[in-house]
Amino acid sequence: MKRLLFLAALSPCLFAQSPLTLWYKQPANLWVEALPVGNGRMGAMVFGDPTHERIQFNESTVWTGEPHDYAHHGAYQHLDEIRQLLWAGKQKEAEDLAEKEFMSEPLHQRKYQALGDLELEFPEHRSLSNYRRSLDLDTGIAAVEYDTGVHVRREIFASYSSNVIVIHISGESQFSSGVRDAHKVGQALSPANLAGAVDAVHYEARTVTIPDSTGVTILLAAATNFKNYRDVSADPHARVEATLAAAKAKGYAALRAEHIADYQKLFRRVSLDLGHTDAEKLPTDERIKNFAHGSDPSLVALVFQYGRYLLIGSSRPGGQPANLQGLWNESNNPPWDSKYTDNINTEMNYWPAELANLSECQLPLFDALKDLAVSGAITAKEQYNARGWVLHHNFDLWRGTAPINASNHGIWETGGAWLSTHLWEHYLFTGDKTFLRDTAYPLMKGAALFFVDAMVKDPKTGYLITGPSNSPEQGGLVMGPTMDRQIVRSLFGEVIAAGKILGVDSQLRDQLTAMRAKIAPNMIGKYGQLQEWMEDKDDPKNKHRHQSHLWGVYPGSEITPYGTPDLFKAAQQSLIFRGDEATGWSMGWKVNLWARFLDGDHAWKILQNLIQPASDKPAHAGLFPNLFDAHPPFQIDGNFGATAGIAEMLLQSDDPHGTSTSLTPVQSGEAAFINLLPALPSALPDGHVTGLRARGGIGVEIEWKAGKLVKAVLKPDTDKPITVRFAGKEKQLQAKGGQTYTVGAEL
Ligand code: FUC
């Protein structure tokens, strides 16, 4: 197939539409065909039916429940007995005891909810031609257009600056509209507002309609009484009124310009061109179907950018973090309650944040960590008699931190520790010392203090281990699963490095250093695999979606190609045993893992499995027509995992010499390592990426042709020794902040 690399940038009219557009020849029938817009607080799904437009919408604080402390008070009195049972090989008894005495109260957390539908009726629009429904990722605007005597165009976007969903209709002013409350199904449409309550959360949504010379604009605002996880005293009516009044005063043209400026400031930081073929002229749903047996590299770029679009849409400063569905949800009983599952899913949502240059989109997660450190301190005290804070495998709007659902997988101690490593990574990518001192360090230290108190000596080996815990979500309740040990080792190392930079807590640092060296090491088992548990009991036929013991390869970096070659090989063997098929997010993880294993073609193979048509029934992972990733059902982590994985093929900035002994200068932020095209698949021989970010605070542009580096341009923010690597060759730079460095074929 003909390759037209870079031509698109020179002459965009050559193509039917911009490579950054999702488009369809028909309206959405299913929710996973509708197109999402979001502003970090509100989300909307646009169906695009000509006569009956449905815009289903959410507000991110509409949850069931109320402020509540979920900790199981006094549970620490049973902790020792649970551990003793596990050490005595009595797993079932330990799980039973824990089920009775150690679980969250109540046992389940609360659910994220739908809010409502905005419906528009265009009774005259039955006969039409040239129908097209689209979402332009470059502007963040969804559109529905067709000819029906006149050209009708509806534009929909979610404004972050004005906190409204904006719908503009041109070519037609004869229509009726109304809103439907998702909690009052069966009730007639209300002309312009809905208001109600679900448990303690009071909500309101309202529209205003404004005619102007170019058509009609509908503004949709929504709010709740939620102020924070302990306070629901806000007035949703006053909030909605104030928001609508401010937005109405601006008018459509100004709202649109304001939205595009705000959105593009984030989105346009990164461009990715992987080449072009005729395949990209087809509608998006057809491209997904064709991907595995055609050549459509620009669909990979679209999937990459779509993840960035979804992160901008679901996680903006001041709002809630992206939940299991970002913030798009049409059900009041969504899969896994659409909460925050943090034994992989919440973290994966943020894997692209730094690398794909959307650093501030991670701030809502850090705000949530501030809450979790408070609620998690109660759980730490009541359930472990420990200092610091702990988070088990889920949290919700009310910041529940205690173990939920069932003891065999709910008791997993390292959610807070894993999320705290994101604070350190944010520092590595930004170099922001104020953030490190004021936000990151206190949270990281609290997460580490919990393990100073809660780790125990394994009677058999003498090593320090966590427990009771589990290797998500299999094998049941155990002591010291490998993933926990890797996470705690990383966290301790990072707290030590941060304390050194800030010049604080030298005694604690000594204590952490001593304890860190005693944590049970990674072990290689009888099949040449990396052991998932303390015991050598892995089953080589195990295809479980979680591959938790590979955390040390990615997202961690204590198992590396040059620092720990034997463990690296064993980890790779473990991933080979797991196979290439998996649920959506699991494939997202596998793309990143194969990239870290420096095997671009294997990463590509997984990407091909990920980019194929998905279905709920029969269950099949892949992508839905609107490019939402399918577990199945839809779960947004797979989208974010894919975006991170595609970037990880092109650029890695972790230290490939890392070990579990102590942090290297790169891992502690004193130096940087830029690994160019470390896992470039042979299917992507030509390309150009701008605006990626590397640890050490470095902007990176890379251009390649026929699999060879043409040039890389590095822009470090601060002075820094940088090692640049490409195809086995390395070059050292003593870089000055603010300067630009170009490296090329001489590498
Ligand atoms: C974890 C995973 C499931 C699912 C759920 C939301 O429990 O094991 O696959 O993604 O989170």
Side-chain angles (χ1 to χ4, degrees):
M1 210 165 276
K2 206 163 48 162
R3 285 195 172 272
L4 299 166
L5 182 66
F6 304 138
L7 223 57
L10 301 174
S11 53
C13 13
L14 204 70
F15 300 99
Q17 64 286 311
S18 125
L20 286 172
T21 303
L22 284 71
W23 72 281
Y24 307 85
K25 288 181 179 162
Q26 67 287 336
N29 190 17
L30 303 172
W31 188 80
V32 287
E33 293 165 3
L35 292 169
V37 296
N39 65 11
R41 288 182 191 272
M42 289 187 75
M45 298 290 286
V46 182
F47 282 67
D49 189 276
T51 56
H52 175 85
E53 175 65 278
R54 176 182 178 209
I55 298 173
Q56 183 271 326
F57 60 91
N58 290 92
E59 202 280 346
S60 61
T61 60
V62 182
W63 285 65
T64 62
E66 62 201 348
H68 180 73
D69 163 23
Y70 292 85
H72 194 129
H73 287 242
Y76 73 90
Q77 294 162 57
H78 303 275
L79 184 59
D80 192 47
E81 197 183 342
I82 297 169
R83 286 176 178 150
Q84 296 303 335
L85 285 168
L86 289 171
W87 276 322
K90 298 181 175 167
Q91 187 187 52
K92 172 85 173 66
E93 287 89 332
E95 287 174 355
D96 289 349
L97 177 62
E99 201 69 48
K100 243 173 73 206
E101 306 289 356
F102 206 76
M103 302 304 288
S104 170
E105 295 187 318
L107 186 58
H108 301 288
Q109 293 176 352
R110 300 311 187 193
K111 298 172 196 287
Y112 182 47
Q113 300 287 283
L115 180 48
D117 285 0
L118 167 62
E119 300 185 2
L120 308 173
E121 301 290 340
F122 300 85
E124 305 302 322
H125 294 187
R126 289 191 209 292
S127 136
L128 54 94
S129 55
N130 299 327
Y131 178 90
R132 187 173 188 273
R133 182 169 62 98
S134 62
L135 173 63
D136 180 356
L137 302 187
D138 189 46
T139 57
I141 296 179
V144 181
E145 47 195 325
Y146 46 86
D147 296 316
T148 170
V150 288
H151 183 71
V152 176
R153 180 175 163 90
R154 305 199 277 270
E155 283 196 343
I156 302 96
F157 58 86
S159 161
Y160 171 67
S161 315
S162 293
N163 196 19
V164 282
I165 306 285
V166 181
I167 300 111
H168 184 261
I169 302 151
S170 59
E172 176 64 280
S173 54
Q174 298 304 309
F175 65 91
S176 62
S177 70
V179 285
R180 195 182 294 285
D181 186 331
H183 288 92
K184 294 172 190 156
V185 179
Q187 279 198 358
L189 272 188
S190 137
N193 77 310
L194 60 85
V198 48
D199 298 336
V201 174
H202 292 246
Y203 56 79
E204 180 159 336
R206 178 181 291 274
T207 60
V208 289
T209 306
I210 324 160
D212 66 30
S213 58
T214 62
V216 181
T217 303
I218 299 175
L219 304 178
L220 169 66
T224 72
N225 59 345
F226 180 88
K227 279 188 169 167
N228 63 55
Y229 77 104
R230 287 186 292 198
D231 182 353
V232 286
S233 66
D235 177 352
H237 179 72
R239 282 178 162 179
V240 166
E241 290 291 300
T243 302
L244 279 181
K248 194 175 167 188
K250 290 178 187 168
Y252 179 65
L255 284 168
R256 191 179 192 277
E258 176 190 63
H259 159 70
I260 291 180
D262 163 72
Y263 173 77
Q264 288 185 341
K265 191 174 77 203
L266 297 170
F267 184 77
R268 285 198 167 173
R269 287 176 186 165
V270 178
S271 70
L272 175 62
D273 189 337
L274 296 172
H276 300 275
T277 61
D278 283 349
E280 74 181 41
K281 292 180 181 165
L282 293 173
T284 308
D285 43 353
E286 292 178 37
R287 292 174 73 185
I288 300 169
K289 284 186 200 143
N290 296 343
F291 185 74
H293 15 263
S295 168
D296 190 359
S298 107
L299 184 57
V300 177
L302 189 69
V303 166
F304 168 81
Q305 292 288 25
Y306 191 55
R308 297 184 66 245
Y309 172 80
L310 294 175
L311 194 60
I312 299 170
S314 61
S315 189
R316 295 296 297 270
Q320 294 299 313
N323 65 40
L324 284 173
Q325 298 185 185
L327 46 50
W328 296 278
N329 165 40
E330 70 163 344
S331 168
N332 290 327
N333 193 19
W336 293 284
D337 311 323
S338 195
K339 356 185 242 300
Y340 300 93
T341 306
D342 53 80
N343 62 10
I344 176 67
N345 319 86
T346 306
E347 289 86 355
M348 187 177 287
N349 284 1
Y350 290 94
W351 285 354
E354 303 292 341
L355 179 60
N357 213 337
L358 295 172
S359 186
E360 61 271 69
C361 290
Q362 202 165 196
L363 298 181
L365 178 68
F366 300 153
D367 286 344
L369 292 190
K370 288 180 196 160
D371 300 342
L372 293 164
V374 178
S375 61
I378 303 173
T379 306
K381 186 87 213 128
E382 292 295 334
Q383 303 208 198
Y384 296 86
N385 197 21
R387 293 171 297 165
W389 64 281
V390 63
L391 165 64
H392 295 84
H393 94 301
N394 265 270
F395 69 93
D396 62 2
L397 185 71
W398 314 110
R399 307 309 188 224
T401 52
I404 64 161
N405 298 355
S407 60
N408 64 354
H409 68 277
I411 304 177
W412 174 74
E413 297 180 355
T414 37
W418 185 351
L419 285 168
S420 293
T421 67
H422 284 228
L423 295 158
W424 176 249
E425 290 273 311
H426 183 76
Y427 166 71
L428 285 185
F429 274 92
T430 61
D432 184 345
K433 285 212 172 103
T434 310
F435 169 82
L436 183 67
R437 187 190 62 215
D438 297 345
T439 303
Y441 185 72
L443 296 170
M444 292 163 62
K445 178 178 164 183
L449 276 179
F450 170 77
F451 291 98
V452 170
D453 289 358
M455 275 200 297
V456 285
K457 197 164 155 183
D458 176 30
K460 277 199 205 113
T461 62
Y463 286 126
L464 281 179
I465 55 172
T466 59
S469 195
N470 73 97
S471 191
E473 300 174 0
Q474 52 167 339
L477 200 59
V478 297
M479 294 299 291
T482 300
M483 175 193 234
D484 275 15
R485 289 156 18 221
Q486 294 171 346
I487 291 176
V488 176
R489 205 160 28 228
S490 293
L491 175 68
F492 278 16
E494 292 165 3
V495 172
I496 296 165
K500 248 188 237 160
I501 293 168
L502 299 171
V504 295
D505 292 334
S506 72
Q507 265 184 337
L508 175 67
R509 273 187 268 143
D510 292 346
Q511 188 182 12
L512 293 179
T513 307
M515 288 183 78
R516 194 174 183 277
K518 292 186 190 142
I519 298 174
N522 292 305
M523 292 176 264
I524 299 174
K526 58 177 176 281
Y527 300 108
Q529 88 284 11
L530 184 70
Q531 279 182 212
E532 185 159 356
W533 292 277
M534 288 292 285
E535 304 79 22
D536 186 3
K537 60 181 184 187
D538 300 74
D539 174 0
K541 296 202 186 72
N542 181 358
K543 304 284 178 212
H544 202 275
R545 61 194 179 282
H546 287 269
Q547 46 252 339
S548 306
H549 49 320
L550 305 189
W551 191 94
V553 177
Y554 184 94
S557 59
E558 68 166 32
I559 298 177
T560 63
Y562 315 119
T564 62
D566 294 343
L567 289 170
F568 191 72
K569 210 169 134 226
Q572 196 163 328
Q573 183 59 59
S574 292
L575 191 56
I576 290 168
F577 286 147
R578 280 295 205 271
D580 296 338
E581 300 283 336
T583 58
W585 62 257
S586 182
M587 287 199 278
W589 195 354
K590 284 177 184 177
V591 176
N592 285 279
L593 283 166
W594 282 114
R596 281 283 172 97
F597 286 130
L598 309 174
D599 188 338
D601 284 339
H602 208 138
W604 177 257
K605 198 170 162 206
I606 309 283
L607 207 53
Q608 279 186 310
N609 288 345
L610 192 151
I611 305 180
Q612 61 172 318
S615 74
D616 280 329
K617 286 186 194 120
H620 201 298
L623 298 179
F624 288 116
N626 65 0
L627 291 185
F628 270 175
D629 191 84
H631 182 288
F634 162 54
Q635 213 172 274
I636 206 162
D637 37 25
N639 286 102
F640 294 132
T643 295
I646 292 162
E648 201 71 22
M649 290 171 170
L650 307 177
L651 170 67
Q652 292 177 21
S653 63
D654 61 302
D655 193 337
H657 302 280
T659 68
S660 64
T661 343
S662 61
L663 263 54
T664 66
V666 171
Q667 291 170 325
S668 24
E670 292 149 27
F673 198 101
I674 303 283
N675 206 342
L676 297 167
L677 307 174
L680 186 69
S682 39
L684 297 176
D686 308 323
H688 192 176
V689 64
T690 65
L692 292 180
R693 298 284 298 172
R695 292 169 185 80
I698 305 168
V700 182
E701 172 185 352
I702 313 169
E703 190 182 335
W704 68 99
K705 216 171 179 46
K708 300 260 176 340
L709 183 68
V710 175
K711 70 169 194 306
V713 183
L714 311 182
K715 291 185 185 154
D717 293 341
T718 54
D719 298 2
K720 192 138 290 179
I722 307 178
T723 306
V724 192
R725 183 182 175 98
F726 173 72
K729 284 187 258 166
E730 287 182 5
K731 178 182 172 135
Q732 312 292 331
L733 293 173
Q734 261 307 327
K736 287 250 163 292
Q739 303 279 320
T740 297
Y741 297 86
T742 304
V743 293
E746 85 278 1
L747 253 177

Short mmCIF file of all heavy atoms in Angstrom, two decimals, residues 424-456:
data_model
loop_
_atom_site.label_atom_id
_atom_site.label_comp_id
_atom_site.label_asym_id
_atom_site.label_seq_id
_atom_site.Cartn_x
_atom_site.Cartn_y
_atom_site.Cartn_z
N TRP A 424 6.13 10.66 43.04
CA TRP A 424 7.57 10.74 42.77
C TRP A 424 7.83 10.87 41.26
O TRP A 424 8.65 11.67 40.82
CB TRP A 424 8.28 9.51 43.36
CG TRP A 424 9.74 9.46 43.04
CD1 TRP A 424 10.36 8.57 42.23
CD2 TRP A 424 10.75 10.35 43.53
NE1 TRP A 424 11.71 8.84 42.18
CE2 TRP A 424 11.97 9.93 42.97
CE3 TRP A 424 10.75 11.45 44.38
CZ2 TRP A 424 13.19 10.58 43.23
CZ3 TRP A 424 11.95 12.10 44.65
CH2 TRP A 424 13.15 11.66 44.07
N GLU A 425 7.09 10.10 40.48
CA GLU A 425 7.25 10.17 39.02
C GLU A 425 6.91 11.59 38.53
O GLU A 425 7.57 12.12 37.64
CB GLU A 425 6.32 9.16 38.33
CG GLU A 425 6.74 7.72 38.52
CD GLU A 425 7.75 7.27 37.47
OE1 GLU A 425 7.52 7.49 36.27
OE2 GLU A 425 8.78 6.69 37.86
N HIS A 426 5.87 12.17 39.11
CA HIS A 426 5.50 13.54 38.72
C HIS A 426 6.68 14.48 38.99
O HIS A 426 7.00 15.34 38.17
CB HIS A 426 4.26 13.98 39.50
CG HIS A 426 3.75 15.34 39.15
ND1 HIS A 426 3.04 15.61 37.99
CD2 HIS A 426 3.83 16.54 39.79
CE1 HIS A 426 2.71 16.89 37.95
NE2 HIS A 426 3.18 17.48 39.03
N TYR A 427 7.33 14.27 40.12
CA TYR A 427 8.51 15.08 40.42
C TYR A 427 9.62 14.81 39.40
O TYR A 427 10.25 15.73 38.87
CB TYR A 427 9.01 14.81 41.84
CG TYR A 427 10.39 15.38 42.05
CD1 TYR A 427 10.59 16.76 42.13
CD2 TYR A 427 11.51 14.54 42.09
CE1 TYR A 427 11.86 17.29 42.24
CE2 TYR A 427 12.78 15.07 42.21
CZ TYR A 427 12.96 16.44 42.28
OH TYR A 427 14.22 16.96 42.38
N LEU A 428 9.86 13.53 39.08
CA LEU A 428 10.94 13.20 38.13
C LEU A 428 10.68 13.87 36.77
O LEU A 428 11.60 14.35 36.12
CB LEU A 428 11.06 11.69 37.93
CG LEU A 428 11.70 10.87 39.06
CD1 LEU A 428 11.83 9.42 38.63
CD2 LEU A 428 13.07 11.42 39.46
N PHE A 429 9.44 13.86 36.33
CA PHE A 429 9.13 14.42 35.02
C PHE A 429 9.12 15.95 35.01
O PHE A 429 9.37 16.56 33.99
CB PHE A 429 7.77 13.90 34.53
CG PHE A 429 7.84 12.58 33.81
CD1 PHE A 429 7.67 11.39 34.49
CD2 PHE A 429 8.08 12.52 32.44
CE1 PHE A 429 7.74 10.16 33.85
CE2 PHE A 429 8.15 11.30 31.78
CZ PHE A 429 7.98 10.11 32.49
N THR A 430 8.77 16.55 36.16
CA THR A 430 8.63 18.01 36.17
C THR A 430 9.77 18.72 36.88
O THR A 430 10.00 19.91 36.64
CB THR A 430 7.33 18.43 36.91
OG1 THR A 430 7.42 17.95 38.27
CG2 THR A 430 6.10 17.86 36.23
N GLY A 431 10.45 18.02 37.80
CA GLY A 431 11.50 18.67 38.58
C GLY A 431 10.94 19.71 39.55
O GLY A 431 11.67 20.56 40.06
N ASP A 432 9.64 19.63 39.85
CA ASP A 432 8.98 20.65 40.67
C ASP A 432 9.23 20.37 42.16
O ASP A 432 8.56 19.56 42.78
CB ASP A 432 7.47 20.61 40.34
CG ASP A 432 6.68 21.69 41.06
OD1 ASP A 432 7.23 22.29 42.01
OD2 ASP A 432 5.53 21.92 40.66
N LYS A 433 10.21 21.11 42.72
CA LYS A 433 10.61 20.85 44.12
C LYS A 433 9.57 21.33 45.12
O LYS A 433 9.45 20.77 46.22
CB LYS A 433 11.96 21.53 44.41
CG LYS A 433 13.12 20.80 43.79
CD LYS A 433 14.38 20.92 44.62
CE LYS A 433 15.46 20.03 44.08
NZ LYS A 433 16.51 20.64 43.30
N THR A 434 8.82 22.36 44.75
CA THR A 434 7.75 22.82 45.67
C THR A 434 6.70 21.73 45.80
O THR A 434 6.22 21.43 46.89
CB THR A 434 7.10 24.11 45.10
OG1 THR A 434 8.15 25.01 44.77
CG2 THR A 434 6.18 24.75 46.10
N PHE A 435 6.36 21.14 44.67
CA PHE A 435 5.41 20.03 44.69
C PHE A 435 5.96 18.89 45.54
O PHE A 435 5.26 18.29 46.35
CB PHE A 435 5.13 19.55 43.25
CG PHE A 435 4.36 18.26 43.19
CD1 PHE A 435 2.98 18.25 43.31
CD2 PHE A 435 5.02 17.05 43.03
CE1 PHE A 435 2.27 17.05 43.28
CE2 PHE A 435 4.33 15.85 43.00
CZ PHE A 435 2.94 15.85 43.12
N LEU A 436 7.25 18.61 45.36
CA LEU A 436 7.86 17.50 46.11
C LEU A 436 7.76 17.76 47.61
O LEU A 436 7.38 16.87 48.38
CB LEU A 436 9.33 17.33 45.69
CG LEU A 436 10.05 16.15 46.34
CD1 LEU A 436 9.48 14.82 45.87
CD2 LEU A 436 11.56 16.20 46.04
N ARG A 437 8.08 18.99 48.00
CA ARG A 437 8.12 19.31 49.43
C ARG A 437 6.71 19.37 50.03
O ARG A 437 6.44 18.79 51.07
CB ARG A 437 8.84 20.65 49.62
CG ARG A 437 9.10 21.01 51.08
CD ARG A 437 9.59 22.44 51.21
NE ARG A 437 8.56 23.34 50.72
CZ ARG A 437 8.80 24.48 50.07
NH1 ARG A 437 10.03 24.86 49.82
NH2 ARG A 437 7.81 25.24 49.66
N ASP A 438 5.81 20.10 49.34
CA ASP A 438 4.51 20.41 49.97
C ASP A 438 3.46 19.33 49.75
O ASP A 438 2.61 19.12 50.60
CB ASP A 438 3.96 21.75 49.43
CG ASP A 438 4.88 22.90 49.79
OD1 ASP A 438 5.75 22.71 50.67
OD2 ASP A 438 4.74 23.99 49.19
N THR A 439 3.48 18.70 48.60
CA THR A 439 2.43 17.72 48.29
C THR A 439 2.95 16.29 48.35
O THR A 439 2.41 15.46 49.07
CB THR A 439 1.85 18.00 46.87
OG1 THR A 439 1.37 19.35 46.85
CG2 THR A 439 0.71 17.06 46.54
N ALA A 440 3.99 16.02 47.57
CA ALA A 440 4.40 14.63 47.38
C ALA A 440 4.98 14.00 48.64
O ALA A 440 4.55 12.94 49.09
CB ALA A 440 5.39 14.53 46.24
N TYR A 441 5.98 14.67 49.21
CA TYR A 441 6.74 14.02 50.28
C TYR A 441 5.88 13.62 51.49
O TYR A 441 5.97 12.48 51.96
CB TYR A 441 7.94 14.88 50.71
CG TYR A 441 8.79 14.17 51.73
CD1 TYR A 441 9.59 13.10 51.37
CD2 TYR A 441 8.75 14.55 53.07
CE1 TYR A 441 10.34 12.41 52.32
CE2 TYR A 441 9.49 13.87 54.02
CZ TYR A 441 10.29 12.80 53.64
OH TYR A 441 11.03 12.12 54.58
N PRO A 442 5.02 14.54 51.99
CA PRO A 442 4.21 14.13 53.16
C PRO A 442 3.35 12.90 52.86
O PRO A 442 3.20 12.02 53.72
CB PRO A 442 3.32 15.35 53.43
CG PRO A 442 4.02 16.50 52.78
CD PRO A 442 4.78 15.94 51.62
N LEU A 443 2.80 12.80 51.66
CA LEU A 443 1.96 11.65 51.30
C LEU A 443 2.80 10.39 51.16
O LEU A 443 2.45 9.31 51.63
CB LEU A 443 1.20 11.94 50.00
CG LEU A 443 0.18 13.09 50.05
CD1 LEU A 443 -0.31 13.43 48.64
CD2 LEU A 443 -1.00 12.72 50.95
N MET A 444 3.95 10.53 50.47
CA MET A 444 4.84 9.38 50.28
C MET A 444 5.35 8.86 51.62
O MET A 444 5.41 7.65 51.87
CB MET A 444 6.05 9.79 49.42
CG MET A 444 5.72 10.10 47.97
SD MET A 444 7.05 11.04 47.15
CE MET A 444 8.41 9.88 47.24
N LYS A 445 5.71 9.80 52.48
CA LYS A 445 6.23 9.41 53.80
C LYS A 445 5.16 8.67 54.60
O LYS A 445 5.44 7.63 55.22
CB LYS A 445 6.68 10.68 54.55
CG LYS A 445 7.18 10.44 55.94
CD LYS A 445 7.64 11.76 56.57
CE LYS A 445 7.78 11.61 58.07
NZ LYS A 445 8.15 12.90 58.71
N GLY A 446 3.93 9.17 54.55
CA GLY A 446 2.83 8.50 55.25
C GLY A 446 2.59 7.10 54.72
O GLY A 446 2.36 6.15 55.48
N ALA A 447 2.67 6.97 53.39
CA ALA A 447 2.47 5.65 52.79
C ALA A 447 3.58 4.70 53.23
O ALA A 447 3.35 3.51 53.49
CB ALA A 447 2.45 5.77 51.26
N ALA A 448 4.82 5.22 53.36
CA ALA A 448 5.95 4.37 53.77
C ALA A 448 5.88 4.02 55.25
O ALA A 448 6.17 2.88 55.64
CB ALA A 448 7.26 5.10 53.45
N LEU A 449 5.48 4.99 56.07
CA LEU A 449 5.41 4.73 57.52
C LEU A 449 4.49 3.57 57.84
O LEU A 449 4.73 2.80 58.76
CB LEU A 449 4.90 5.99 58.25
CG LEU A 449 5.95 7.04 58.61
CD1 LEU A 449 5.27 8.22 59.31
CD2 LEU A 449 7.06 6.45 59.49
N PHE A 450 3.42 3.45 57.04
CA PHE A 450 2.51 2.33 57.25
C PHE A 450 3.29 1.01 57.18
O PHE A 450 3.13 0.13 58.03
CB PHE A 450 1.38 2.34 56.22
CG PHE A 450 0.56 1.08 56.26
CD1 PHE A 450 -0.39 0.89 57.25
CD2 PHE A 450 0.77 0.06 55.33
CE1 PHE A 450 -1.11 -0.29 57.32
CE2 PHE A 450 0.05 -1.12 55.39
CZ PHE A 450 -0.90 -1.30 56.40
N PHE A 451 4.16 0.89 56.20
CA PHE A 451 4.88 -0.38 56.02
C PHE A 451 6.02 -0.55 57.03
O PHE A 451 6.41 -1.67 57.35
CB PHE A 451 5.37 -0.53 54.58
CG PHE A 451 4.22 -0.73 53.63
CD1 PHE A 451 3.69 0.32 52.92
CD2 PHE A 451 3.61 -1.97 53.53
CE1 PHE A 451 2.60 0.15 52.09
CE2 PHE A 451 2.51 -2.16 52.71
CZ PHE A 451 2.00 -1.09 51.98
N VAL A 452 6.55 0.57 57.52
CA VAL A 452 7.54 0.47 58.60
C VAL A 452 6.89 -0.27 59.77
O VAL A 452 7.49 -1.16 60.39
CB VAL A 452 8.03 1.88 59.04
CG1 VAL A 452 8.86 1.79 60.32
CG2 VAL A 452 8.82 2.54 57.91
N ASP A 453 5.63 0.06 60.03
CA ASP A 453 4.93 -0.57 61.16
C ASP A 453 4.29 -1.91 60.79
O ASP A 453 4.18 -2.79 61.63
CB ASP A 453 3.83 0.36 61.68
CG ASP A 453 4.41 1.57 62.40
OD1 ASP A 453 5.66 1.65 62.51
OD2 ASP A 453 3.63 2.44 62.82
N ALA A 454 3.84 -2.06 59.54
CA ALA A 454 2.99 -3.22 59.22
C ALA A 454 3.71 -4.37 58.54
O ALA A 454 3.14 -5.43 58.37
CB ALA A 454 1.81 -2.77 58.35
N MET A 455 4.98 -4.16 58.15
CA MET A 455 5.68 -5.32 57.58
C MET A 455 6.14 -6.24 58.71
O MET A 455 6.40 -5.78 59.83
CB MET A 455 6.88 -4.88 56.74
CG MET A 455 6.47 -4.54 55.30
SD MET A 455 7.84 -4.58 54.14
CE MET A 455 8.85 -3.30 54.79
N VAL A 456 6.23 -7.52 58.40
CA VAL A 456 6.63 -8.48 59.43
C VAL A 456 7.74 -9.39 58.89
O VAL A 456 7.95 -9.48 57.67
CB VAL A 456 5.42 -9.36 59.87
CG1 VAL A 456 4.48 -8.56 60.75
CG2 VAL A 456 4.69 -9.93 58.67
#
